[in-house]
Amino acid sequence: RCGRRCYPTRPIYMHRRTAVVAGIAGVAISVLAPGVLARLCGPRFCGRRLLATRPARATASECKGDSTPSTVLHLNAAGASPMPTEARDAMVGYLEYEVEVGAYTAQKKRPHAAREALATLLRCDVEEVALLDSAQAAWARAFYSLNFTSSADRILCFASEYAGNAVAYLQMARRTGARIEVLPMRTDGIADVPALEAALQRTTTSERAERPGRTLVALTHIQTSESIVQPAAAVGALCERYGAVFLLDTCQSVGQLPVDVRALGCDFACGTGRKWLRAPRGTGFLYVRRRALDEATRSGSTSLFGEPPLIDHSGAVWSTPDSYTLLPDAKRFEMWEADEAARHGLEAAAVVCRATGPARNFAHATRLAARLRSGLAAIPGCVIRDAPPSFDEEVARSLGAARCAIVTFEAESTLGVRSADLHSALEARGISVSVSPSTHHFEPAARARPSVVRISPSYINAESEIDTALAAIAEELARLARE
């Protein structure tokens, strides 16, 4: 042992000179008693220049109590995608440098450029990008910065809404008296944009002149268990015309398809790294339109735009003993402490996404999704749920909507097979998918439906993998239906 306070338990830590002798001894031990050295030496590292024997990485099937196959077919981009090599290498390289020079020095000498990479991807200014640790954290920072004060303020959302957002609307209404107006979906699952315009028109011209921007329009670009890309640009145009604030949840769209926040006309947009962008978990971002930043600090403003719900000395300057000044850019929504290695991974993933091309990635993934839906339709008992039967892609395009690479289905209503059981069976075969509940909706009829299996291929997948998944689904459904 090195004699330093490195909290060793079973691992042995060796300086370089000692390691030579220990290495020779280790060879002999490994021949005479296989496995002894692996049990004694571990990967811990005390922070000095020490050598540690790195154990070979065990396959997943070798881990005690884990029956997951060592090779996994990743079809869960809507949940969490595997990182590209570039992102992993960026994180590991930064962490190794941080161990060598210390966290503060590493942050100073090797700063990330995640904001710049995301700004390029989103087609906005770098000053309009804040880095958070998840899409939900980013969405909440935006929503809770809005100055709702009374029943004169309105929250307009649609019936198909992510549960994490919906509960925040309910809490805000309870706290402030703000009114929630749930707008309908068309029968084909597309947001009813004319209904939104009618709701916006209910605010009179004089009311808008006296208290402009007191209405929030919130839209989830792609619902978690649906394949419909909602017409965000049409919604943004109406918000611009009627002076409403537009909060767009792009958690399932950034990385899956091209997202131009300027063209969509949103004031806020939130996103995550772990899904289609293929960045590490614990990364998220918030786009804040320049006018929202300026209006929040303008003296005498009566709009909804306000200060971040919580700040520290990284988002504001303590200018005098009894006053502070918010930063002029979106970094006012950030906090001091952050996972710098993860942000390096986020930067690398955004660069990879831009290089591979979001439009090309989207075209490939949607082709795979179409192949998957066609195959599922041929399996007895499968009911496709990611869009209503009346959904038509040509009609959707004419409305500014589209169909994405999220595919959901269930067999509980036909075969009595629960989605959770099918998910477990597929997972045991090394196919990574997920289960989505029916609670992401205001309508009771939609909430009463069974949970669904969600499959979400991305540009890293191939047609042969879709066929493998379809064969497994058919086999497992037949087996589970018999049991």
Side-chain angles (χ1 to χ4, degrees):
R1 298 177 189 271
C2 70
R4 304 287 177 179
R5 292 185 179 273
C6 53
Y7 305 99
T9 50
R10 294 183 64 84
I12 292 177
Y13 299 90
M14 298 167 287
H15 288 284
R16 295 183 182 276
R17 186 165 53 189
T18 311
V20 176
V21 177
I24 297 172
V27 173
I29 292 172
S30 64
V31 171
L32 297 174
V36 173
L37 187 64
R39 289 196 298 271
L40 292 176
C41 298
R44 298 193 183 188
F45 185 65
C46 72
R48 297 179 62 81
R49 291 183 178 278
L50 311 175
L51 292 178
T53 302
R54 290 187 178 181
R57 180 180 297 174
T59 61
S61 58
E62 293 170 339
C63 297
K64 185 177 180 180
D66 188 351
S67 60
T68 305
S70 57
T71 302
V72 175
L73 172 52
H74 293 280
L75 291 171
N76 193 21
S81 292
M83 284 191 294
T85 301
E86 293 86 345
R88 182 197 64 194
D89 290 349
M91 293 180 67
V92 172
Y94 181 83
L95 285 172
E96 289 176 343
Y97 183 63
E98 188 178 85
V99 168
E100 180 181 344
V101 304
Y104 281 16
T105 301
Q107 183 180 6
K108 180 180 179 181
K109 292 189 174 182
R110 290 193 182 176
H112 63 79
R115 293 183 195 85
E116 290 81 357
L118 288 168
T120 302
L121 193 64
L122 299 174
R123 301 197 174 188
C124 64
D125 296 333
V126 67
E127 294 81 11
E128 296 174 305
V129 177
L131 300 179
L132 286 305
D133 57 10
S134 71
Q136 200 62 43
W139 186 95
R141 295 287 175 88
F143 178 71
Y144 285 100
S145 73
L146 300 175
N147 291 321
F148 295 102
T149 58
S150 71
S151 60
D153 301 328
R154 297 190 300 163
I155 300 170
L156 304 183
C157 61
F158 289 89
S160 178
E161 180 58 278
Y162 185 64
N165 302 345
V167 295
Y169 306 148
L170 296 172
Q171 183 188 58
M172 186 63 74
R174 183 182 298 174
R175 283 182 178 178
T176 68
R179 290 175 292 138
I180 302 172
E181 295 184 27
V182 180
L183 304 173
M185 314 301 292
R186 290 161 43 103
T187 56
D188 56 6
I190 299 173
D192 192 334
V193 177
L196 170 62
E197 182 165 22
L200 290 170
Q201 288 174 341
R202 284 197 289 272
T203 304
T204 66
T205 304
S206 60
E207 287 175 336
R208 289 199 300 270
E210 292 173 6
R211 290 167 58 85
R214 302 301 303 183
T215 296
L216 168 70
V217 175
L219 175 69
T220 297
H221 203 189
I222 301 173
Q223 179 58 281
T224 185
S225 58
E226 297 176 2
S227 61
I228 301 173
V229 185
Q230 298 294 346
V235 171
L238 287 179
C239 291
E240 190 72 29
R241 183 185 309 168
Y242 292 98
V245 175
F246 184 20
L247 170 55
L248 181 64
D249 186 339
T250 57
C251 186
Q252 292 288 4
S253 48
V254 174
Q256 183 182 183
L257 67 155
V259 174
D260 183 337
V261 291
R262 296 241 196 277
L264 297 179
C266 55
D267 294 298
F268 300 96
C270 69
T272 185
R274 65 179 163 89
K275 296 181 183 288
W276 305 89
L277 202 51
R278 302 179 63 203
R281 295 198 73 171
T283 56
F285 52 89
L286 175 65
Y287 159 74
V288 188
R289 193 177 186 179
R290 169 59 64 183
R291 79 164 186 180
L293 293 167
D294 295 342
E295 190 69 21
T297 54
R298 186 172 64 84
S299 177
S301 173
T302 60
S303 77
L304 278 179
F305 295 121
E307 298 187 357
L310 65 165
I311 58 174
D312 68 7
H313 58 297
S314 65
V317 176
W318 192 12
S319 45
T320 71
D322 58 357
S323 67
Y324 63 88
T325 304
L326 290 174
L327 294 187
D329 56 22
K331 283 191 286 187
R332 68 176 64 164
F333 286 88
E334 299 178 5
M335 303 295 281
W336 166 256
E337 189 57 44
D339 186 340
E340 292 296 311
R343 290 182 173 184
H344 278 270
L346 175 61
E347 174 195 347
V351 170
V352 169
C353 181
R354 191 172 72 247
T356 55
R360 185 165 59 249
N361 296 346
F362 186 57
H364 178 74
T366 52
R367 280 196 298 271
L368 296 181
R371 184 184 187 92
L372 181 58
R373 290 190 194 97
S374 177
L376 289 171
I379 298 175
C382 276
V383 180
I384 297 172
R385 291 292 192 188
D386 55 78
S390 60
F391 180 85
D392 181 273
E393 294 200 40
E394 289 297 327
V395 173
R397 268 193 289 273
S398 70
L399 297 171
R403 198 166 198 179
C404 74
I406 293 177
V407 179
T408 62
F409 69 98
E410 53 90 9
E412 184 173 347
S413 63
T414 53
L415 302 177
V417 176
R418 296 188 317 131
S419 293
D421 294 334
L422 180 56
H423 170 263
S424 297
L426 295 174
E427 189 175 54
R429 296 178 66 147
I431 301 175
S432 178
V433 297
S434 61
V435 173
S436 185
S438 59
T439 52
H440 300 287
H441 212 287
F442 278 97
E443 292 295 333
R447 295 171 67 88
R449 292 176 188 148
S451 296
V452 294
V453 176
R454 183 180 67 185
I455 306 179
S456 44
S458 73
Y459 70 92
I460 66 173
N461 295 116
E463 288 185 354
S464 60
E465 294 175 317
I466 299 301
D467 296 340
T468 296
L470 286 168
I473 291 168
E475 291 175 12
E476 294 300 335
L477 266 184
R479 179 183 65 81
L480 290 168
R482 289 194 302 268
E483 293 181 352

